[in-house]
Amino acid sequence: MDLDAFVAVHQADWQRLDQLSARRRLTGREIDEFLTLYERVSTHLSMVRSVEPEAVVSADLSARLSRARTRFTGARSGFLEDVAQFFVVSLPAALYRIRVATVVVGVLFCAAALAFGVWAGSSPEVMRAMGSDEDLQAYTQHRFVDYYSENPAASFAGAVWTNNALIAALCVAFGITGLYVPYVLFQNAAGIGMAGGLMAAHGELDTFFLYILPHGFMELTSVFIAAAAGLRIFWAWVAPGRRTRIAALASEGRALMTVALGLVPVLLVSGIVEAYVTPSPLPHWARLGIGLGVLAAYWAYTLVLGSRAVSGGATGDLDLYDAGATAPVA
């Protein structure tokens, strides 16, 4: 067989196969053409190997067929495409699905914190249990404010970030128990509420809010999001619907662990705000405005991209391939 003549005759088919392999989407007609060309080029490769298996043409055809095979067997996407898919589809879809639960958790948390604050601020017995008059005076006059600037900003931001990210991940991971999330919410509501009550009793309630809210808007919302995700996993176990409990837990667990990963960069932003904005000499309106801006950006991201992703069928779960789906056996 004259290889040069063989290449000249069939080169057009090989190039067309390359073109179809490189396209992101194919029409029905192009898919039929693609499969026909794949079979044809496979035959060409067999013919070449039967004559000159070590020829350059043989290696070239093998490479072309490998690319084509990767195309129609569903090769994994590239790293950047996976990252874009995560932040544009999977994460906003998962956040959107728990938006109502996030708000409900936030309202209950704030109500509990307010109750603790009123109790602590109006009870002399609670005040005495919290410390001596000198200690409480020092806390309200300077230690509360100094906390945000007593360490270098970079290390403080890192410590806050890792601590909060760990809490968020634990809320999601141990949400299935139904106990860990309420415990974490209770502890945090009690701590914040009693600190606020103490500051209010000493005439520093405005200082409390001016130093809590710039970073707290997003930081606390992140806690509410993680709590809502954990409780959603717990509810999938309690009420799986038409799915088995194992299937419901697997699906919700995969989808909502997405939330734990997504909160890592969100909490990084909160940590930066807490370290650099909260203790800064900026006017109060500017510090509060930055905190509100971060919170508004989060909700815009969740509601706009999330609603679009959910409308397209996304849940935050892995695709069937990555989730380990198998074909049913008859």
Side-chain angles (χ1 to χ4, degrees), residues 127 130 132-146 194-208 211:
M127 287 292 172
M130 293 174 71
S132 65
D133 290 341
E134 293 78 10
D135 287 340
L136 298 182
Q137 191 72 21
Y139 176 83
T140 57
Q141 293 301 313
H142 62 84
R143 283 198 343 236
F144 177 81
V145 173
D146 291 347
M194 295 183 74
L198 175 61
M199 296 290 286
H202 288 79
E204 296 291 344
L205 186 60
D206 57 340
T207 302
F208 173 78
Y211 278 82

Side-chain angles (χ1 to χ4, degrees), residues 23 56-57 66 97 107 180 182 184 196 259 265 295 325:
R23 290 188 182 178
V56 175
V57 176
S66 177
R97 291 177 60 225
V107 170
Y180 184 79
V184 169
V259 172
L295 180 63

Side-chain angles (χ1 to χ4, degrees), residues 189-247:
I192 291 175
M194 295 183 74
L198 175 61
M199 296 290 286
H202 288 79
E204 296 291 344
L205 186 60
D206 57 340
T207 302
F208 173 78
F209 284 117
L210 288 171
Y211 278 82
I212 282 288
L213 291 181
H215 62 276
F217 282 129
M218 193 65 249
E219 184 175 278
L220 288 175
T221 299
S222 297
V223 174
F224 305 155
I225 295 165
L231 293 174
R232 180 68 177 260
I233 295 174
F234 171 70
W235 191 248
W237 173 65
V238 173
R242 295 186 177 183
R243 300 173 294 182
T244 65
R245 281 187 167 80
I246 294 299

Side-chain angles (χ1 to χ4, degrees), residues 4 33 38 56 74 87 101 135 141 160 208-209 287 292:
D4 292 335
E33 182 187 4
Y38 182 83
V56 175
F87 284 106
D135 287 340
Q141 293 301 313
V160 168
F208 173 78
F209 284 117
R287 293 190 289 123
L292 278 172

Side-chain angles (χ1 to χ4, degrees), residues 64-108:
R64 292 174 189 268
L65 287 170
S66 177
R67 289 194 294 270
R69 188 181 307 111
T70 297
R71 175 67 177 85
F72 72 72
T73 55
R76 294 298 306 275
S77 56
F79 173 74
L80 293 179
E81 186 176 345
D82 286 341
V83 170
Q85 175 75 12
F86 178 82
F87 284 106
V88 176
V89 178
S90 300
L91 178 58
L95 294 173
Y96 186 80
R97 291 177 60 225
I98 58 171
R99 66 195 185 285
V100 175
T102 298
V103 173
V104 171
V105 169
V107 170
L108 294 176

